[in-house]
Amino acid sequence: MLRWGLVSTANINDAVLGTTNPPADRFVAVGSRDLVRAQAYAQDKGIPRAHGSYEDLFADPDVDAVYVSLPNGMHTEWAIKALEAGKHVLCEKPFDRDPAAVARAFDVAEARGLVLAEAFMWRHHPQVDRAVQLLADGAIGNVRLLKASFSFVLDDPANVRLFRGLDGGSLMDVGCYCVSGLRTLAGAEPMRVQAERVDGGDGVDVRLVATLRFPGDVVATLDCGFDIAPRAELEAIGDGGTLKLLDPWHGTDPVIELRRAGGPEDRKFEGEPERIRVDAPDKYLLELEDFEAAVRGERPPRIGRDDAVAQATTIAALYRAADHAASTPESIP
Ligand SMILES: NC(=O)c1ccc[n+]([C@@H]2O[C@H](COP(=O)([O-])OP(=O)(O)OC[C@H]3O[C@@H](n4cnc5c(N)ncnc54)[C@H](OP(=O)(O)O)[C@@H]3O)[C@@H](O)[C@H]2O)c1
């Protein structure tokens, strides 16, 4: 098994620590900005070694790979430093809002023969491949419309997600799942986007709504927010039916709901929708196993360069579109 180091004491670490019992079988070290915090964390989580800086973690010769769970705005800088120190890197989502920065990180990884991947756990869940296969098999006819939502109420003003300097914002935090979901179901990259944002916190988008145009006249809607009730939705609508993932992002209760319309003369829905139940394995474990297989040279990681750069390209376009809508509004008198 790969020997992993944790870059920070972030809350999300618990998800990956939970993949191994005891955690020390996979996670051998943690680095924090603060040595005392690193030591307390290591003791609490059962991690053998604690380092008082991320650089010290990267200098640890008994660490093969690191998991970057820093706030969004620090991902690329520290992923590159880890790569330069010779570590494979699994970087939390969203990698970066600047596609050129993501590409730079992959340049460093490729130059050193190291594995770099974006950690989008939802994509490792088997319900995703199942849904994509159903669409490819024509379960809902020709796909015409896609819809994705992810929101919750964030009341903690100190949360990293509300700070502009750390690249917070609802699109970066939860909307990035919607971007990934739409791109995955479309099986293509969007050609153009429009967006509206509502700001809060320290000047970040606390709500963002967008439309995306994909090749083949497929259109999509996306909405995300920190100030609306919790929702998690991903749906494809075709000329022959609808396909909805009822728990798309977490996949703890994964069901794909399929409604097929009648034949050409009668396009109505009849009866109850078909509910396809899918296994719910630990998606974080699948993510780590995917990465470890890539390090062993068995296959490229599921979310490698092209995917991560395309994801950041769409996020950047959505922010540009939202800024454009605010600066040159099509006002109604
Ligand atoms: N895939 C998923 O399911 C999932 C879920 C949640 C979050 N995430 C992603 O994981 C990342 C971390 O999210 P989180 O909610 O776990 O963050 P968090 O609990 O706030 O932790 C962030 C960590 O970064 C370090 N840090 C370094 N500089 C910092 C600064 N200026 N301000 C705050 N913290 C700083 C801190 O660790 P030290 O002080 O120990 O260095 C801190 O514990 C984000 O990119 C987020 O999008 C992914």
Side-chain angles (χ1 to χ4, degrees), residues 7-13 15 31-34 37-38 54 67-72 74-75 92-94 119-121 159-161 166 172-173 177 250 284 287:
V7 187
S8 90
T9 56
N11 290 319
I12 185 58
N13 291 354
S32 166
R33 292 171 294 176
D34 182 297
R37 184 158 54 245
Y54 308 140
Y67 170 66
V68 175
S69 53
L70 293 165
N72 302 335
M74 301 172 70
H75 287 173
E92 257 309 334
K93 48 55 64 177
F120 246 127
M121 54 46 172
N159 193 292
V160 290
R161 289 159 181 76
L166 297 174
M172 289 294 276
D173 188 49
Y177 286 89
H250 295 296
Y284 294 98
E287 174 177 271

Side-chain angles (χ1 to χ4, degrees), residues 138-159:
I140 61 166
N142 297 296
V143 175
R144 306 285 198 217
L145 173 63
L146 300 169
K147 295 162 76 172
S149 305
F150 201 173
S151 62
F152 67 103
V153 176
L154 178 53
D155 321 291
D156 172 13
N159 193 292

Side-chain angles (χ1 to χ4, degrees), residues 69-109:
S69 53
L70 293 165
N72 302 335
M74 301 172 70
H75 287 173
T76 302
E77 175 192 349
W78 289 97
I80 288 178
K81 284 183 179 159
L83 290 162
E84 286 173 342
K87 309 301 182 193
H88 302 283
V89 175
L90 178 63
C91 180
E92 257 309 334
K93 48 55 64 177
F95 202 122
D96 200 293
R97 58 188 292 166
D98 174 8
V102 180
R104 251 195 331 273
F106 277 93
D107 287 345
V108 177

Side-chain angles (χ1 to χ4, degrees), residues 67-305:
Y67 170 66
V68 175
S69 53
L70 293 165
N72 302 335
M74 301 172 70
H75 287 173
T76 302
E77 175 192 349
W78 289 97
I80 288 178
K81 284 183 179 159
L83 290 162
E84 286 173 342
K87 309 301 182 193
H88 302 283
V89 175
L90 178 63
C91 180
E92 257 309 334
K93 48 55 64 177
F95 202 122
D96 200 293
R97 58 188 292 166
D98 174 8
V102 180
R104 251 195 331 273
F106 277 93
D107 287 345
V108 177
E110 284 161 21
R112 285 168 171 71
L114 296 164
V115 174
L116 173 61
E118 183 174 14
F120 246 127
M121 54 46 172
W122 88 279
R123 287 273 302 277
H124 296 271
H125 196 293
Q127 69 173 344
V128 179
D129 286 347
R130 188 72 189 275
V132 168
Q133 190 60 52
L134 283 163
L135 295 181
D137 292 345
I140 61 166
N142 297 296
V143 175
R144 306 285 198 217
L145 173 63
L146 300 169
K147 295 162 76 172
S149 305
F150 201 173
S151 62
F152 67 103
V153 176
L154 178 53
D155 321 291
D156 172 13
N159 193 292
V160 290
R161 289 159 181 76
L162 292 174
F163 290 89
R164 198 185 166 96
L166 297 174
D167 277 347
S170 62
L171 176 60
M172 289 294 276
D173 188 49
V174 280
C176 66
Y177 286 89
C178 301
V179 171
S180 177
L182 296 173
R183 294 176 48 247
T184 301
L185 293 196
E189 303 305 331
M191 301 145 58
R192 62 174 188 254
V193 300
Q194 295 185 352
E196 282 284 348
R197 63 187 274 174
V198 175
D199 285 353
D202 174 34
V204 300
D205 52 297
V206 291
R207 222 177 314 143
L208 190 141
V209 180
T211 57
L212 300 86
R213 177 83 174 226
F214 286 89
D217 290 340
V218 175
V219 285
T221 64
L222 169 164
D223 71 84
C224 54
F226 289 156
D227 64 351
I228 41 178
R231 285 164 321 124
E233 295 167 10
L234 182 61
E235 184 175 13
I237 296 122
D239 54 3
T242 66
L243 177 151
K244 192 189 275 188
L245 285 84
L246 299 191
D247 182 9
W249 317 125
H250 295 296
T252 32
D253 187 15
V255 175
I256 299 173
E257 190 181 86
L258 197 56
R259 289 163 63 91
R260 297 179 203 255
E265 283 120 47
D266 175 13
R267 291 260 184 210
K268 280 188 273 187
F269 291 116
E270 276 166 13
E272 289 298 306
E274 191 181 334
R275 291 180 144 242
I276 302 167
R277 204 156 261 293
V278 184
D279 286 345
D282 182 343
K283 54 206 175 283
Y284 294 98
L285 177 60
L286 295 178
E287 174 177 271
L288 293 180
E289 287 176 345
D290 175 75
F291 187 92
E292 288 167 355
V295 171
R296 289 193 301 272
E298 292 168 15
R299 56 175 191 256
R302 182 172 271 244
I303 306 180
R305 180 186 193 112

